[in-house]
Amino acid sequence: MSNKHCINWRLSILIIVCNLIFPLQLRAQILPPAGSLIKLPCAVQSGVNDPCKAIYYYGTDKKRHAFPNEKVYSTWYSNFSGVVTVSQSTMASVSLGSNVTYRPGVLMVKFVSWPKVYVVSRNGLLRWVTSESIAVSLYGSDWNQKIHDISDAFFSNYQFGSDITSASDYNPANETSVVSTINIDKGFSAPFLYHGVATHNWSTLFITPASGQANAIKSEVDAYEAAVGRTVAWVGFAHEWKTDGRAFPSKVATSIKNRGATPFIFLNLRSFDVIDKNQPVEPLYTLAAIISGQFDSDLAAWADGAKNFGSEIIVDWGWEMNGDWATWNGRHNGGQSEGPRRFGQAYRHIVELMRKRGATNIRWAFHINYPEYPAETWNNFENYYPGDDVIDLIGVSIYSAQTPTDDFFPSFESMMEPAYTRLNSMAPTKPIYVFEFGATAGNPLGSSVTWADKALSAIFSGRWPSLRGFAWWNDFWENDDNPAHDTEMRVEKVSGLDTVFKSRLGAVSNLGDRPPVFR
C-alpha cells in the first residue's frame, strides 16, 4: 500500500487515541452506509506506519478514499468517534478511490516547494491569493497562522482555478457550509433531503374517538403519498397527555413504523390547544413543574416505552415556543426575563432524564416558528435553545395565509431565508429541517399552488446547504360557520397541488429514500 493512501499518525497521542477508540471487537463484517469512515483492525503492537492506521471515507461512489494525513482529516472531523472497524476481506472488497483533500474554507494551503498561498474550493480546487491584504480580509490578521503545507507528493490530488484578486471573490464560511460532506465535495451527491407529513388527525384534541387515531392517520398518509407520488420519511402526530394518557403512544408509533416511516412525536404536555383570552394560563404542565420533577415518574415510564419501541423516533417537545399561543412560551412561564431560560432548563431536564433511562433511539428536535410572536428581543428563539448537547435536529414552521380571510400572504423564501440564517448561526453543526410549511387555498391574496411550487423549488435549489428535510402540513379545518372561510391545505384536495408535488419531488435525485438518516 502506498504511503499516499495511508494516514501516518506521527503524533503518539493520536496513536493512543486510535487504539482506544477502535478495539478489535468493534470491527464490522459488512460495509457501513456510504458516508462512513472505515479502517482495519489493529493489533496491540501495531507500528505508526502499519496499514491498519489508515482511515478511509466510504463514498457514495462505492469506493474508499484515503486521508493523506491527520491535517486533512482534522478539517473534516474533530475526533475519531465515528470510525467503523471492518474486516480485511471487507476492506479488500472496496476499490481505492482518490484521496480526500482539504475541506473548503477551513484554512489556506501551500506546497512545500513554492511560496504561493491558496484558498481551497470544492473538490480540491486551489485558487491563488494574490495579496496579503486579501488574505487578511479573508482569514484575519493571523492569516499566516492558518496555512498548511502540502507535500509535493500530493500535488496530483489538486487542481487550480482562477486567482483571488479581491476579497469578494471568495467567502470562507460559505465555502465550508456548502460542502458539508466529502461526498458533496467530490461531486458524488447533493445532500439528501427527506420529506415528511402531518395530517388532519395528528392530535386527539381534535378527533373523536382517540382510539381511531392510528387508522385515521394511516388512511390520510396513504392519500397523501398517492397524491405526491413518493413515500414519506416521517409522519408527525401528537401525544397529548390530556387525552391520550401519559404512556408512550406505541399503537400510533407502531402503525407508522409498519409503513416504513419514522414516528415524529409532538410530545404535548398541555391542558389545551392554545393560550388565548378564554384559556390564559396553563394550570398543570408549567415549565417550573417540569423542572422541579413533578412529572419525572411519568417521563421515565415514557422513556422506557420509547426504548422498548426499539427503532429511531423523533420527539418534538415545546414546538413553536416563540409563539405566544404556546402554553410553553416564555410569557406564560415566568415572563420575559425568566421564561425563555426556564424553557431551556425544562427541555434539558426531559432529555437528560430520558437518556439516563437508555432511550438513546430518540432524536430531539428544537422547533421554532418564524417569525416570532411577539416580535420582541426577549422572545427571540435563540433565547430558548437548550444547547447542542441536548438537541439533535433544529427546524422551523413556515406558513403563509392559513385562512381565506387572512390579510397577508408572504412567500416561503421571504421567511425561510432569515430563519435559516439565524438557525445556522445559532447551531452551525446541526441539520436544519422545515418541520412544517403550508398555505391555504381560497385566499384572494395568493395561490397556494404557486406558493408551494416556489417553496419546493427553493428547498431543492441548494441555497440552504444545511437543510435536510421538509414536511407539508396536510390538513383542513373550519374557521367559522361560513364554508368559504374553511382552511384547505390537503394536497389531494386542492386542484393542481398534487401536480406540483409530483413534479418537484419526482424531478430530483437527492430526495432520500427510507429509512431516513437524521444527522
Side-chain angles (χ1 to χ4, degrees), residues 206-447:
F206 313 112
I207 64 170
T208 304
S211 60
Q213 186 183 27
N215 288 335
I217 290 175
K218 180 182 183 303
S219 295
E220 291 167 347
V221 177
D222 286 345
Y224 172 82
E225 290 184 338
V228 304
R230 295 294 293 257
T231 55
V232 293
W234 75 84
V235 177
F237 75 98
H239 180 215
E240 302 283 359
W241 278 25
K242 177 182 179 181
T243 51
D244 300 330
R246 299 180 182 181
F248 180 80
S250 58
K251 182 177 181 180
V252 182
T254 299
S255 176
I256 293 168
K257 178 181 178 179
N258 287 344
R259 72 182 304 122
T262 296
F264 185 117
I265 305 174
F266 296 88
L267 180 55
N268 289 350
L269 282 64
R270 59 180 181 175
S271 300
F272 43 77
D273 180 22
V274 296
I275 292 282
D276 59 22
K277 64 181 180 181
N278 298 317
Q279 301 167 134
V281 178
E282 165 58 55
L284 181 59
Y285 302 108
T286 63
L287 300 183
I290 293 171
I291 294 167
S292 70
Q294 183 173 330
F295 308 108
D296 278 6
S297 61
D298 296 308
L299 290 167
W302 203 97
D304 292 344
K307 177 183 177 182
N308 292 335
F309 182 71
S311 60
E312 189 173 54
I313 60 176
I314 307 167
V315 176
D316 187 355
W317 175 80
W319 45 279
E320 297 179 358
M321 79 302 293
N322 58 334
D324 61 7
W325 55 82
T327 61
W328 35 75
N329 176 257
R331 173 171 283 173
H332 318 303
N333 290 274
Q336 299 179 9
S337 61
E338 183 68 15
R341 186 181 69 84
R342 281 189 189 175
F343 178 90
Q345 286 180 307
Y347 210 147
R348 179 175 290 276
H349 181 85
I350 292 170
V351 173
E352 290 181 347
L353 184 155
M354 292 203 186
R355 285 176 177 165
K356 287 179 181 177
R357 301 292 295 191
T360 55
N361 56 316
I362 299 176
R363 303 292 170 261
W364 293 98
F366 180 76
H367 177 177
I368 70 162
N369 190 77
Y370 196 85
E372 283 95 356
Y373 294 97
E376 299 173 7
T377 302
W378 72 267
N379 196 40
N380 286 351
F381 64 75
E382 293 90 342
N383 298 329
Y384 292 85
Y385 189 57
D388 283 357
D389 60 323
V390 173
I391 298 300
D392 300 299
L393 321 171
I394 58 177
V396 58
S397 292
I398 293 180
Y399 288 98
S400 193
Q402 294 189 62
T403 77
T405 58
D406 284 343
D407 60 357
F408 55 86
F409 207 93
S411 70
F412 176 85
E413 301 94 309
S414 68
M415 294 179 283
M416 180 61 182
E417 186 64 38
Y420 175 89
T421 299
R422 286 173 55 189
L423 284 168
N424 202 44
S425 177
M426 177 188 74
T429 65
K430 298 296 179 182
I432 296 175
Y433 292 79
V434 179
F435 287 135
E436 302 176 26
F437 76 124
T440 187
N443 188 292
L445 298 180
S447 162

Side-chain angles (χ1 to χ4, degrees), residues 2 38 98 136 223 240 253 255 450 487:
S2 167
I38 58 175
S98 58
V136 171
E240 302 283 359
S255 176
T450 301
T487 293

